[in-house]
Amino acid sequence: MASLRSIQRSLRNPQAGAIIDPMQVDAPPEENDNNEDESYEVDIDSFDLETYANSYTGLARIYRLMYIADHCPKLRPDALRLAISHVIKTMNANLYQVLHHKLQQCQGNILPDVTGANPIDTGLPVFNSAWVETTNQKSAMKLEKLDGDLKNYKSNSIKESIRRGHNEIGDHYVNCGDLIEATKSYSKARDYCTSSSHVISMCLNIIKVGIYLQNWSHVINYIIKAESTPDYTENSELQTTYSSTLKCMTGLAELAGRKYKLAAQNFLKTNLDYWDSCDVMTPNDIAIYGGLCALATFSRLELQNSVICNNSFKLFLELEPEVRDAIFKFYESKYEVCLTILNKIKPILLLDMYIGSHINQLYSNIRSKAMIQYFCPYDSADLRKMALCFNTPLPDLENELMQLILDGHIKARIDSINKILYAKHPNQRVETFEKAMSMAQQYSRYMHILVLKSQIIKHQFNSKLSKSERLSNIGKTINVDFVKISG
């Protein structure tokens, strides 16, 4: 997201912005590789921010509240206040200042009250500069203590303690909002992993930070590293423990890359009993992401086999009855009901930081699929009835159908005068004749080549050219229209 990327860049301290050591191959790039356009605003009447925020933990909760603040003017003050109340429970002093600055801009550029006045007078939380200073001091002291502990672990040469020390420093950097340094600390633990579960845990830590940074190529790389860990494919216990979480992360990365079918396939392989990534997404999110991506890309048969008959994914769908009902209504060809349900939940989905920028594309794909399946069994269809079914004006429906015809998704013609859509059936006789002629021409060409080759062999035409002449003749062809065989 554009707004969070700019904030992340502003939060990096000078050390984080320095040139990365060439040996540190795991350090992510400075710039984000996610270039999605997210400039839109959402108008929503009611939304329970506190319940929504309590579903997440850590930076994920704060970032989601900031995303809502950036895209919903009505909820912006409440979202920023709630984000500030959660930031003060961390050591992220820089983000605390950024949120206060955004809240002041939201309230009309009111200056922060540092005199201790009653916050009720302005309606703004008091900017506590003492908290910022104290937090920075506590953060530095804790980092110094963790570094000292790590040096002691290294002097004792205990790999498990060293690995745990690097992870603790990485957790501290995440708590302070320095995600670049957190990635470096987590990756340093790789040399001290003594089991496959340690390696996968290290990869998951880096994947989580990569998701916060929206660095999806980095996320994919470490998912591959985790899945290629020795003993992972052979140890069923490791697969059971980590497979669902890795599939969720893969699905999220594929969703960010607009590979919706791959995203759906990964989300559908998730098992609720072994899923553990509440600091990034919830089971409700998995139901929404997987359900909408499947609805937009799967065929009717795939929808039945992979979604409707998928017992493990049904547990996720039960958490989001609207998405479940939309999928079932689409499968039952009740497109009007399906699209009505989707339009009802659209404002809420637009406030999701991972799928919000994809909603318009996904909805467009779902609508196009519905039109294709609606017309598939008919030779002709009344556009007036079709417009009522899809709840759209007749001119807009004609434009949508015209685009589908031009793209080759529907083989039909539109009668704009009588408002009827006629199926265009191919002429089997003409197609068979054209195919036969094409095969005859190809056969004739092969025969000419064979005759030419046999005559060259018969008359012993052996080319004796120098190496430079042979190289100069590379790429030259001889076109033979007719070969006359001499007796």
Side-chain angles (χ1 to χ4, degrees):
M1 69 201 56
S3 57
L4 288 185
R5 286 202 297 271
S6 61
I7 291 174
Q8 287 161 0
R9 285 194 294 269
S10 66
L11 295 180
R12 292 172 187 160
N13 54 32
Q15 289 76 17
I19 298 175
I20 298 172
D21 185 357
M23 296 301 294
Q24 187 61 42
V25 296
D26 294 320
E30 282 294 313
E31 292 299 326
N32 192 292
D33 55 0
N34 185 13
N35 298 320
E36 296 171 359
D37 183 14
E38 299 177 358
S39 56
Y40 62 87
E41 290 187 351
V42 181
D43 185 13
I44 189 170
D45 296 328
S46 62
F47 188 76
D48 194 345
L49 273 175
E50 290 191 7
T51 303
Y52 178 79
N54 290 334
S55 301
Y56 305 93
T57 60
L59 276 178
R61 172 163 50 193
I62 299 170
Y63 281 174
R64 284 179 178 269
L65 288 171
M66 292 173 64
Y67 190 88
I68 293 173
D70 290 336
H71 293 85
C72 185
K74 287 185 178 180
L75 298 176
R76 186 169 296 154
D78 294 335
L80 290 173
R81 289 192 187 97
L82 193 57
I84 290 173
S85 68
H86 290 296
V87 166
I88 60 177
K89 299 175 184 178
T90 68
M91 292 187 175
N92 199 337
N94 290 333
L95 186 56
Y96 175 80
Q97 298 178 70
V98 170
L99 289 173
H100 263 285
H101 179 69
K102 292 172 72 71
L103 184 58
Q104 292 156 15
Q105 290 181 334
C106 175
Q107 296 290 344
N109 296 323
I110 301 176
L111 294 175
D113 187 357
V114 295
T115 62
N118 191 342
I120 299 177
D121 297 338
T122 61
L124 287 172
V126 177
F127 179 80
N128 193 341
S129 58
W131 180 89
V132 174
E133 184 178 354
T134 303
T135 301
N136 287 331
Q137 292 176 355
K138 288 181 179 179
S139 174
M141 292 173 60
K142 185 174 181 180
L143 181 60
E144 185 178 356
K145 178 182 178 300
L146 292 174
D147 283 333
D149 293 341
L150 182 59
K151 290 179 181 178
N152 292 333
Y153 298 150
K154 289 183 176 180
S155 63
N156 295 329
S157 299
I158 303 175
K159 281 192 171 183
E160 175 59 23
S161 299
I162 298 172
R163 183 187 70 85
R164 191 169 61 249
H166 282 300
N167 287 338
E168 289 175 352
I169 293 176
D171 294 340
H172 175 68
Y173 278 127
V174 170
N175 194 34
C176 296
D178 193 346
L179 301 180
I180 298 296
E181 291 299 325
T183 302
K184 293 180 181 180
S185 296
Y186 285 138
S187 32
K188 288 177 183 177
R190 177 174 52 189
D191 297 331
Y192 305 97
C193 294
T194 57
S195 66
S196 297
S197 61
H198 290 167
V199 176
I200 297 174
S201 178
M202 179 272 299
C203 290
L204 285 175
N205 287 332
I206 298 177
I207 289 168
K208 180 178 68 175
V209 177
I211 291 174
Y212 291 153
L213 289 169
Q214 303 281 297
N215 192 340
W216 301 112
S217 60
H218 202 63
V219 170
I220 289 291
N221 289 338
Y222 271 89
I223 290 173
I224 295 173
K225 287 184 180 181
E227 293 179 337
S228 60
T229 301
D231 300 334
Y232 176 75
T233 56
E234 300 174 359
N235 192 329
S236 59
E237 184 178 353
L238 277 178
Q239 282 192 341
T240 302
T241 305
Y242 296 107
S243 176
S244 293
T245 302
L246 289 173
K247 291 300 179 185
C248 282
M249 303 302 182
T250 306
L252 195 61
E254 298 293 1
L255 173 62
R258 300 188 180 272
K259 299 176 183 178
Y260 302 128
K261 189 162 188 175
L262 289 176
Q265 291 171 350
N266 282 282
F267 284 124
L268 293 174
K269 294 177 182 177
T270 307
N271 192 318
L272 184 59
D273 296 332
Y274 302 103
W275 172 85
D276 182 21
S277 55
C278 61
D279 49 350
V280 176
M281 66 184 96
T282 64
N284 301 66
D285 295 330
I286 296 173
I288 293 172
Y289 301 164
L292 291 181
C293 289
L295 197 56
T297 57
F298 281 11
S299 66
R300 190 180 184 86
L301 182 61
E302 289 174 326
L303 203 61
Q304 180 187 15
N305 295 335
S306 301
V307 182
I308 296 176
C309 297
N310 188 336
N311 293 326
S312 62
F313 194 70
K314 275 184 180 179
L315 299 176
F316 290 100
L317 288 178
E318 293 298 327
L319 302 173
E320 289 292 334
E322 293 89 354
V323 176
R324 178 200 61 198
D325 293 343
I327 292 173
F328 277 85
K329 294 302 179 184
F330 186 93
Y331 181 75
E332 294 169 3
S333 299
K334 298 179 181 179
Y335 305 117
E336 182 180 5
V337 180
C338 171
L339 296 176
T340 301
I341 294 173
L342 291 177
N343 288 330
K344 180 181 178 182
I345 62 175
K346 184 176 181 180
I348 298 176
L349 298 180
L350 286 170
L351 295 178
D352 187 284
M353 66 182 295
Y354 294 118
I355 202 172
S357 60
H358 304 274
I359 285 297
N360 290 330
Q361 182 63 48
L362 289 171
Y363 272 42
S364 176
N365 292 352
I366 293 170
R367 186 177 178 85
S368 298
K369 274 186 59 183
M371 289 185 179
I372 294 169
Q373 292 188 16
Y374 178 92
F375 182 67
C376 184
Y378 301 114
D379 285 331
S380 62
D382 191 333
L383 294 183
R384 300 178 185 85
K385 294 181 179 179
M386 196 171 178
L388 291 174
C389 180
F390 287 94
N391 193 23
T392 186
L394 193 57
D396 294 342
L397 178 65
E398 288 189 31
N399 292 332
E400 290 183 67
L401 291 172
M402 178 185 67
Q403 190 61 47
L404 289 174
I405 292 172
L406 292 175
D407 293 340
H409 299 306
I410 295 180
K411 294 182 179 180
R413 292 176 294 180
I414 300 175
D415 185 348
S416 296
I417 298 176
N418 298 318
K419 303 302 178 184
I420 297 176
L421 182 67
Y422 291 102
K424 184 179 179 182
H425 297 294
N427 191 326
Q428 299 291 339
R429 184 176 180 180
V430 173
E431 287 186 354
T432 304
F433 180 77
E434 291 177 350
K435 186 176 180 181
M437 288 297 296
S438 177
M439 291 179 66
Q441 292 174 0
Q442 189 177 14
Y443 179 78
S444 175
R445 179 174 175 272
Y446 287 161
M447 289 302 100
H448 285 159
I449 293 173
L450 289 174
V451 170
L452 176 60
K453 183 178 179 180
S454 64
Q455 291 300 304
I456 291 175
I457 296 173
K458 178 180 178 180
H459 294 282
Q460 298 181 353
F461 290 150
N462 297 324
S463 177
K464 297 180 180 179
L465 301 177
S466 63
K467 183 177 180 180
S468 59
E469 290 175 332
R470 288 198 303 270
L471 291 175
S472 64
N473 288 330
I474 291 177
K476 295 183 178 179
T477 59
I478 301 176
N479 296 323
V480 179
D481 295 331
F482 178 76
V483 178
K484 181 178 179 181
I485 305 176
S486 61

